[in-house]
Amino acid sequence: MKTTLILAASWSELEEETLEVASAASQRQVIQVHVMTIEAENLRKTRDLEEAAELQLSMLPTCIPEIPGLEVSAHMHSTREVGGDYYDILPIKARTDDCCSYLFCVADVSGKGLVASLLMSNFQTMLLTLQDESLLLAETASRLGALIYAMPRSRYITAIMVELDPQTGIGHYVNAGHTSGMLLRAEGDLEWLPSTGFPLGMFADVTYHEETFRFRCGDVLALLSDGFTDAMDVNGQEFGEARLADYLRRVRCRSAKDIVAGAFEEVNHFAGAAPQFDDITLVVLKRHELSH
């Protein structure tokens, strides 16, 4: 009888051990499947970000046009998390004569990733299409806002658009909720091109108005995305508009290309090892005398 009890107890213990082993193996399988699922999702997200980055870069000008009377330089730095920064330089017909004016645009879509890049691609297509209709700048902004608002996803785009005649130096601009443009005069005085209306697509039926300025010889105009001034150092301090303004004053006698290159060196030195989570875009124009 004792032998039977001992054997029964041993068999029960063996069954418990077997169940524990099976349970542990099952748990390991569950964990492995979970890890594989996470890895697959991360891989998909990585591919999405890579595709978004490729799409974003494909929208940028392949080269800067040579414009008599103007020096133009531009650069965009993409972060690891793809945002929706965009800039463009487009020739347009002047309003009053046959001289060629140019449209300079810097835009930033709300959100990040592939969806943001797709929306910015649509924005570029809309902008190019509206350019062919010879609209006033304010009309272009209103049409863009209506088209973006009608799209299914609730996103919006901030943008600053500057129409400039390089011969006369007369400029018009619309700032749709975007970071203010910085107009540094040759003498060192700083003027702003602040917001003149809501971001594009934020509300329906928004009417925009444009402002006018004079771009004189030796002046420097900087159009940027908020990723530039919002760049942070390891202590969480922002680069800010004041640092950029001080930098522009120091280097205003340099070429537009050198100003852009130096600006990115400044912000990179400021940020140090701190990771950045927004794209950084800067377009710089500098006017000089037309050669005869």
Side-chain angles (χ1 to χ4, degrees):
M1 184 69 178
K2 286 184 179 180
T3 302
T4 303
L5 291 173
I6 292 171
L7 289 173
S10 298
W11 180 255
S12 177
E13 291 176 358
L14 181 60
E15 283 184 328
E16 289 179 1
E17 291 177 359
T18 303
L19 288 173
E20 288 177 359
V21 171
S23 177
S26 177
Q27 289 177 359
R28 283 198 298 272
Q29 288 180 342
V30 170
I31 292 172
Q32 287 175 350
V33 170
H34 185 61
V35 169
M36 290 174 64
T37 301
I38 292 174
E39 289 178 346
E41 179 65 15
N42 288 338
L43 181 60
R44 184 190 66 78
K45 289 180 179 179
T46 300
R47 288 174 177 169
D48 283 349
L49 289 175
E50 290 174 351
E51 290 176 3
E54 291 174 2
L55 177 61
Q56 186 179 20
L57 292 174
S58 70
M59 293 185 292
L60 302 181
T62 54
C63 62
I64 302 295
E66 293 187 8
I67 305 175
L70 288 181
E71 292 178 24
V72 183
S73 185
H75 182 67
M76 184 188 76
H77 173 72
S78 295
T79 58
R80 290 173 298 174
E81 294 192 33
V82 179
D85 273 18
Y86 162 75
Y87 72 85
D88 218 334
I89 303 162
L90 304 171
I92 57 176
K93 277 282 187 178
R95 300 173 178 179
T96 56
D97 51 39
D98 293 330
C99 297
C100 186
S101 294
Y102 287 83
L103 177 67
F104 303 89
C105 176
V106 175
D108 185 5
V109 63
S110 62
K112 299 181 182 297
L114 187 57
V115 173
S117 290
L118 289 172
L119 179 55
M120 193 54 76
S121 177
N122 288 336
F123 171 80
Q124 182 190 46
T125 302
M126 296 172 194
L127 182 61
L128 293 173
T129 301
L130 292 174
Q131 281 301 106
D132 295 334
E133 298 187 21
S134 300
L135 301 172
L136 296 175
L137 201 55
E139 294 173 334
T140 297
S142 296
R143 293 275 294 275
L144 284 169
L147 290 168
I148 295 167
Y149 182 82
M151 297 181 73
R153 289 185 176 269
S154 57
R155 302 257 180 152
Y156 59 85
I157 295 175
T158 69
I160 183 167
M161 296 180 287
V162 175
E163 181 184 329
L164 184 63
D165 183 337
Q167 292 195 0
T168 64
I170 296 176
H172 308 270
Y173 80 92
V174 169
N175 185 333
H178 196 76
T179 303
S180 297
M182 304 175 73
L183 177 57
L184 185 67
R185 297 300 185 183
E187 302 80 15
D189 296 328
L190 180 64
E191 300 177 15
W192 301 91
L193 277 58
S195 176
T196 60
F198 293 107
L200 302 171
M202 179 172 281
F203 301 106
D205 302 323
V206 175
T207 300
Y208 293 88
H209 68 276
E210 60 188 60
E211 299 288 347
T212 302
F213 66 96
R214 177 77 69 167
F215 198 41
R216 300 190 291 264
C217 290
D219 290 349
V220 174
L221 176 61
L223 309 177
L224 57 144
S225 64
D226 59 4
F228 210 108
T229 51
D230 291 350
M232 292 187 178
D233 63 10
V234 292
N235 298 315
Q237 186 177 11
E238 292 185 349
F239 186 76
E241 293 177 337
R243 284 188 177 85
L244 181 56
D246 288 343
Y247 165 76
L248 292 176
R249 285 192 180 94
R250 295 198 312 268
V251 301
R252 65 183 184 275
C253 294
R254 299 182 187 174
S255 68
K257 183 177 180 180
D258 287 345
I259 292 173
V260 169
F264 277 89
E265 289 177 2
E266 287 278 317
V267 76
N268 289 335
H269 178 74
F270 171 82
Q276 303 303 311
F277 300 99
D278 201 1
D279 294 346
I280 299 175
T281 301
L282 178 64
V283 177
V284 168
L285 289 67
K286 186 172 183 181
R287 189 164 186 235
H288 54 75
E289 292 283 357
L290 284 168
S291 56
H292 299 286

